[in-house]
Amino acid sequence: SNDKRDRVSAQPLSMRYVKGPLVIAHNGALSNFSKVREELEEGGAIFQTTTDAEMIAYTIARQRLNTGTIEQAVELAMDKLEGAYSLIIMTPGKLVGARDPQGFRPLALGKCGNSYMLASESCAFDSIGGEFIRDVEPGEIIVINKEGLKSVKAKCGRKSSLCIFEYVYFSRPDCIVDGVSVNIARQEAGKILAREHPVEADMVCGVPDSGLDAALGFSKQSGIPYGVGFIKNRYVGRTFIQPTQAMRENAVRIKLNALSATVKGKRVVLVDDSIVRGTTSARIVKLLREAGATEVHMRISSPPFMHPCFFGTDVASRDKLIACRLNSVEEIAKEIGVDSL
C-alpha cells in the first residue's frame, strides 16, 4: 500500500523507549482495546498507529519502568490486556514469547542448531531447517537469552479456549497446534462428516486448499473415489478479504477452475471447511455445474458460522453471515444451488 500509515503499522513494530529498543509482533485481537487505549491516551500517550501491537508495547514499556526485567513487565501487562494475544518481543539481550491465558491463538517454540525460536506456526521452523519443540502453553511466558531458555508459568492454568478456526481454516496443514496435527484434524473432520451425512455419489473433491484434507477423509471413510475437481491459480491471494462483493466473485473466478474432464457426467461430493458469506460456495457450485457435474452434494467440515468473532478472525457483521441470514441448512442449500448440504 502507498498509504504511509499502513507501512507504519506493519509488523514487527520497532520502537525506542527509556530502557532501549523494543520490537514486538502480535497475533490476535484485544477485546478491551478501546478501554486500554483510552486510559493510555489520558495518561499522555501518543500513538502512531491503530494497531494492538503498538498499544501492547506501550503497556509493557510502562510496566517496565516500575519493575526489573522485561518478562516481569510482560507478566504485569498481561493483567491489563484482555482477549487474544500471542506475542513475540525482542530487546537487545532477550527474545520473549507470551501467549494469553486463554490460548486463543497458537504460539510455537522451536530450535535450530543452538538457537531457540518462536513463531505463530510450527511449520515456520520446518521451512528453515529447524525443529518444533512444543507449543507455548496458554498464559506461559518464554524467555530466551544467551544463558538459554526459561519459562514463567504464573499466568497458566486457566480454562483455555483455542480458536477452532485454526484447525478449520487458518493454520497450514503441516502445523502442530496444541499437540494436534492440523492435517490429521481436518481428515478426521471429513471422516466424521462421511459417517454423519453419507450420500450416493461418483467422486469426492475438495475446495483448495483448506477443504482438501477434509475431502480426503470423507473419501477414505465413504469409499467414494477422491478426485481433483479444481485447479487452483497459485498467483492470487485470499478472496474472503476482498472489500466488495463483485471483487470477491471475480477473485473466485480467477482463483479456481473446474476440471470438466474429471467431473463431467458425475455426481460430485464437494467438501469445504466452512461457509462464511456463502458467495464463494455459490460460485464454486456454479463452476462445477458449468463443467458438467450432474449432482452437487456439499459437505462442510465445521458447524454453521453464526457469529462474528472479536479475537482476530476478520468476519463482518452477522447480517453478512449466510447461516444467520437464513433459517435452515435447507435454505442455505437452496441459495448456493446444491442438491444437498
Side-chain angles (χ1 to χ4, degrees):
S1 166
N2 294 326
D3 187 337
K4 192 149 176 254
R5 275 191 321 249
D6 283 353
R7 286 211 301 276
V8 170
S9 299
Q11 294 192 41
L13 226 51
S14 171
M15 43 191 52
R16 298 190 74 83
Y17 73 122
V18 68
K19 300 277 188 182
L22 182 78
V23 178
I24 187 166
H26 165 240
N27 179 27
L30 298 180
S31 46
N32 66 340
F33 177 86
S34 309
K35 180 171 163 274
V36 176
R37 191 176 168 108
E38 209 171 279
E39 280 173 19
L40 289 169
E41 285 179 331
E42 280 169 6
I46 297 168
F47 290 105
Q48 310 275 323
T49 75
T50 54
T51 63
D52 290 357
E54 185 183 23
M55 202 172 74
I56 294 167
Y58 205 107
T59 306
I60 292 166
R62 282 191 68 168
Q63 299 306 319
R64 183 75 212 275
L65 301 179
N66 318 318
T67 184
T69 62
I70 185 76
E71 58 270 28
Q72 286 170 321
V74 170
E75 196 181 316
L76 288 168
M78 284 168 92
D79 292 331
K80 300 193 177 304
L81 306 171
E82 286 167 19
Y85 54 91
S86 281
L87 304 171
I88 300 178
I89 300 147
M90 272 184 97
T91 66
K94 285 177 184 168
L95 178 63
V96 178
R99 190 172 171 196
D100 70 74
Q102 281 176 277
F104 286 103
R105 302 266 156 232
L107 191 60
L109 174 66
K111 199 172 187 186
C112 192
N114 296 328
S115 304
Y116 286 108
M117 303 178 290
L118 291 160
S120 57
E121 286 191 291
S122 65
C123 61
F125 308 138
D126 303 335
S127 61
I128 55 168
E131 56 173 319
F132 170 60
I133 298 173
R134 64 175 179 86
D135 296 282
V136 175
E137 288 176 33
E140 186 180 13
I141 300 169
I142 298 274
V143 186
I144 298 160
N145 61 10
K146 58 180 185 294
E147 274 80 62
L149 178 142
K150 76 166 185 175
S151 157
V152 180
K153 293 195 175 180
K155 301 283 175 212
C156 293
R158 290 189 212 171
K159 181 184 178 292
S160 66
S161 45
L162 175 79
C163 171
I164 199 66
F165 228 54
E166 291 290 349
Y167 291 123
V168 173
Y169 176 72
F170 285 136
S171 293
R172 251 176 50 173
D174 50 345
C175 282
I176 306 280
V177 175
D178 281 354
V180 176
S181 153
V182 172
N183 165 276
I184 289 171
R186 288 177 186 168
Q187 282 196 43
E188 281 301 312
K191 286 179 182 175
I192 293 165
L193 203 50
R195 288 200 293 270
E196 288 185 358
H197 301 284
V199 63
E200 292 248 324
D202 306 306
M203 73 173 276
V204 176
C205 74
V207 177
D209 285 312
S210 42
L212 297 179
D213 295 332
L216 194 57
F218 193 100
S219 165
K220 279 183 184 169
Q221 180 67 36
S222 64
I224 301 167
Y226 175 85
V228 179
F230 296 95
I231 293 300
K232 184 183 178 188
N233 175 351
R234 298 269 164 226
Y235 309 100
V236 288
R238 289 186 163 185
T239 50
F240 85 121
I241 42 186
Q242 296 283 3
T244 70
Q245 197 46 51
M247 280 168 83
R248 279 195 294 270
E249 283 179 28
N250 269 339
V252 172
R253 196 170 298 145
I254 295 163
K255 192 172 175 175
L256 289 179
N257 192 15
L259 273 175
S260 67
T262 61
V263 304
K264 195 170 187 174
K266 300 225 174 99
R267 299 167 298 172
V268 178
V269 180
L270 177 65
V271 182
D272 204 356
D273 62 88
S274 56
I275 302 180
V276 182
R277 293 184 180 88
T279 49
T280 301
S281 302
R283 178 72 206 142
I284 290 169
V285 171
K286 197 162 165 240
L287 287 175
L288 274 183
R289 294 210 188 272
E290 285 166 2
T294 56
E295 292 176 16
V296 180
H297 299 279
M298 195 154 193
R299 294 294 180 266
I300 304 294
S301 64
S302 63
F305 201 140
M306 299 288 289
H307 303 275
C309 168
F310 305 103
F311 301 107
T313 308
D314 234 354
V315 173
S317 57
R318 286 195 69 174
D319 55 352
K320 301 274 194 308
L321 299 169
I322 193 167
C324 271
R325 210 162 38 77
L326 303 177
N327 297 318
S328 67
V329 173
E330 288 72 30
E331 281 181 40
I332 300 172
K334 200 171 156 197
E335 176 148 331
I336 62 178
V338 290
D339 296 278
S340 74
L341 173 65

